[in-house]
Each structure stands twice: as C-alpha cells, then as structure tokens.
Amino acid sequence: MATKKITIDKAPTNSGRFTDLDEDKLRGGYYTSSSVAEWLCAWAIRSPNDRVLEPSCGNGSFLEAATKRFTQLGASNATVASQLTGIEIIEAEADKARARLRVMLNQHAANMVNTNDFFSWWQATDQPAFDVVIGNPPFIRYQTFPEPNRSLAMTLMVEQGLSPNRLTNIWVPFVVAAVASLRPGGRLALVLPAELLQVTYASQLRSFLTDRFERIDIVACNELFFEKAEQEVVLLLADGALAAASDDNLCRVTMTEAHTVGEITNRTPAIVLADAQPKTIRHDNEKWLKYFLSEREITFMRALRDSSVTSNLSAHASVNVGVVTGKNEFFVLTSTQVEELGLEGFTSPLVSRSAQLKGARVGKTDWNAMSVAGDRVHLLHLKPGNTKLTDALAKYIRFGEGKDVHKGYKCSIRDPWYAVPSVWTPDGFLFRQIYDFPRVVLNQAEATSTDTIHRLTCKGENPERVIANTYTWLTAASAEIEGRSYGGGVLELEPTEAERLLMPATLNGAMPLIECDRLMRAGRLDEVLEENARIVLRGHMGLSAQDCLILRDIWVKMRDRRNARKRSRSSKSTNGVSA
C-alpha cells in the first residue's frame, strides 16, 4: 500500500504551504511503505502510555502505524487518541490523515492532527513533551523553504546551539526540533536522507545527536527504500535521550546494513540490531560514512591519516571547480559550430565531460581527435585584449539574447554577460563524479574544463609526479570515505573533499604516468594499483603487505556498496519499474 510521502523538493507558495511541481520524479515526492513505518514504530513505541509525535505526518501513514502499535500494546482507542499527535502544514494531506485515523479510531480521531507549520507549533507548545518522535521529515532545500517558516526553523537551530547556513536542508532543523521535543530516556525513529552520514552541513547535527543520546543505530540498505527515487535514505534509531547535551556523553553508534528492504522489515528490530557492532566516535567533522567499515578498518584509516607518512592532497595541490559558463548549450561548441558561426579566435580548448578523459593523461592529439569527432570541446572565451566584437560574434551574442541566455543568473551578474570568467589552464583534471576510481588526469592539452570536472593545480611539485602518486589504494579508499553518494551509485567529490584525499607525504617514484595511461586506456586499472602498491605503498611509505590489502578491501567494499544500489535500480528498471 502506498503511504506516507517523503518530500525531497517542493516549491513554496505565497501562503507558506507547498504545491507539487510535477510528477513524482520531478517534484521529489515518493512513498514510504507501510512496512517500514510499522517497523520503526515497533522499535520506538514501548508502552501504551508513551506520548508520540509525528512532526510532518503527511497523509498519516506513520500515525496509522503508531495506532497499530498501540493496539498491539493493549491501548484503547481513547488512549491512542490522547497519546498521539501529528503535525501537517498541507491542509489536504492533514484531512487525509484524519480520515485514515477515523477508520481506525472512530470519533476519537478528531483532534489528533494539527494543520500547522511544525516550527510555529513547536514554539507555541511546552517542550519537551514526548516519549517518542517518529516520521519522515520533508527534504526541502533552504532556498525553497518559505518564510516565515524558514526563519523559525533557523532560529530554533541557533537556540539549540547549532549554526545553520544557506546549505542547510530543512530536514536538519526538523531533526533538531524532534530531539528537543523528547523527554529524558525518549526515542527518535526517523527516515532521513543519507546526507546525514556524509555532507558538511550535517556535521553539526551528527555531533548534536551523539551529545544527546546514549545510543544511535543507523540502518541502511543496498536496495533503495524508494524504488523510483535516486535519493538514498537511512533509518535513524536514537535511544536514551538526555535532558541536555553533554560533551562527555559516550554515545554508542552502530551501523547495520541489509541487502534488501525485506531483510529489515521481515525481522523484528531487536533481531536486526542484535549483531550491530559499535563504532568509536570522534567529536569532529568526521563523516559517518566511515562507520560502514569494521572497527579495525576505521582504526586503521584514522591511524593512517594521523601518520607522518601520509598527507592530504592539499599538501601537494589545490583543487578548484571548472569553468561555470551559465549556459553550456551556448558557450560550449563543436568545431563545426565554431567554423559555421565564424567564431575562430574566440574560443579556448576545453574538456566538457569526464567521458572525454580516457587515461591518466590528455594531450593535444587527444583533444584534436575529440574536436574532429564533433565533441563539444571549444569554449566561447573573450581573451584579455581580444574583446572587439566581429560581426559574426556580435550576431551570435544577439542570438543568445534572443534565447534569453543573458537573463540566467550567472550571466546576468557579469559585465558583459558573455565574458566567461575564471578561464585558466590547470595542471590536471580531477573527476567530480566517480564510478570506480578517483581519477586524476594530467593536462597536456592546454585545455580548461567545465564545472563537471575539477581543476587541479600543483604547489611547486612536478604535476606528473603528483598525479602518478594518486593511483593507489590509499587515495581510492580515502575517496570513498571523504566523498558522498546520493543513491545512484555515483560518488561525488567537492573541491574541499578532494583536497582531503590521502596521498604519500613525500612524493617519490610511482609507475611512470605514460605506462599508467596506457594501462588505464586498456581497462587494466588493477595492474596499475598492484604495481603502485609495490612501489609507493610498500616501497616508499613502508606499509606492510597486509596494510595494502586492508586499503584495497576498504576501497572495494565501499565502492561495491554504492554500486550495488545502482545495480538494484537497473534490475528493477528491466523488470518494468520506472527508473
């Protein structure tokens, strides 16, 4: 049965409510199964006397699951109605929730659902007041969350000791308010985006949670909980709420992962969590992605990061985003377009897609071949001292204005709008999106890149040597920990995350990049990594053969984990389920 919606992205109306943008895939609206809601309620609700809050109840699936749980515990309809509270901002959804509860509780359901903004309701209600908070908060970007609701949410975070910013997704203050609603000893059971484990804007929340609970269990699944969405989610089970945050609290955090959703919901919470292994928490910005590893592997990676034989990539190079054109369709051209439009002399060599980078190097011969093949590898670029418009260029600019290119945000803040900034040639390219290995490619084509590929600039060291030393299991393993995966099997690295990739502290020899390039183009990455394990990891860094195997296994485990979700989606798609 389709039940409670998870709302990833909706647009605000002037009234402060939300309207659907389009079909499920476009607006980010997807449904949590009743089995997941019932599983969470079975864990969270322990007594018929528990007071339970659902802060974003939608059409009432979690309230329905909670009602079933109370009934199992022997509560009467009147007791359930007095113990259960739902908040929902959208009136039509709130009416659906009331209708669902009336079927189960008859006249007792009348006042269980409040049509209100959760943060307004929270501020006007005495807190903490609940033993349990359950549900699935909305996933809405900061910019699309309407006022005054947004300011209330951000103020609440500040009052609880956190510092929100414009990257903060609205599920974060929902969690903060949910925690602040709990009485001492209370439980929190939420469906949350996997960003909880990995993004920078959630780092304060991770520390907040470990300061406020005695135990936290994260339950993840290789099969996506929402089969039509690429949004990966996890189940957060937090137990033993404290009366106040405590830096001295020794929170026990565990990570449990199943291959399928059924492996979770077909077993009791107690059985699913029985074999969960506790992880040692660091109260810093360390990502919780690391907790998918064993305690031994976590300890090993921490020791390597603290070791004198390793350094961050930032010790050897800086990483910056590629060129932001504002409209690639206008600024990124093929050689045929350049010729037909008369734009010779007004373009610069460009790499526009990571698929254009086949090996560990890209040279002028490679770039010329891409140009001849019709790839979009020419960037419209008015070089300094070459700003006089020819008739052909002026005509193309007028064409762009006819298409409203100049009205796009990035173009509108430039003067002139068609002068693309920050066009410079890097020493290398670093993949922003990673399918297998965190590729770094030497730039011998004198090209720049669009913002789909990062630009790497070395700090006085030989670029070829720097890049050759990234082709190791050390860098690969750290990429899986430092990056982020959004559910489609792709690992993404932002520049600051890329600069945290582990490298040898001292760059000695590695497999010659020309040989690495040849093997990479032949699809023989494993041979490169095996040889650099011998030369770099064991020979220069002094790691043991066993250390090398641990690094390899960490990389493979984390890589295969995210790729398993991609394969799961592909399998469903071929069986008639829309991807």
Side-chain angles (χ1 to χ4, degrees), residues 178-194:
V179 174
S181 301
L182 286 171
R183 295 168 173 165
R187 284 186 164 185
L188 187 70
L190 299 176
V191 179
L192 294 178

Side-chain angles (χ1 to χ4, degrees), residues 526-556:
D526 286 342
E527 293 180 38
V528 176
L529 300 179
E530 290 278 359
E531 180 64 4
N532 276 340
R534 183 186 68 81
I535 299 172
V536 179
L537 302 182
R538 297 178 63 184
H540 299 313
M541 295 179 64
L543 301 185
S544 69
Q546 184 61 33
D547 293 337
C548 293
L549 292 178
I550 293 175
L551 285 171
R552 183 199 65 188
D553 290 347
I554 289 172
W555 167 54
V556 170

Side-chain angles (χ1 to χ4, degrees), residues 438-459:
R439 294 263 306 283
V440 187
V441 178
L442 182 68
N443 180 19
Q444 297 177 314
E446 298 181 6
T448 190
S449 66
T450 62
D451 59 351
T452 58
I453 306 167
H454 296 320
R455 293 180 287 184
L456 178 139
T457 304
C458 295
K459 297 180 176 179

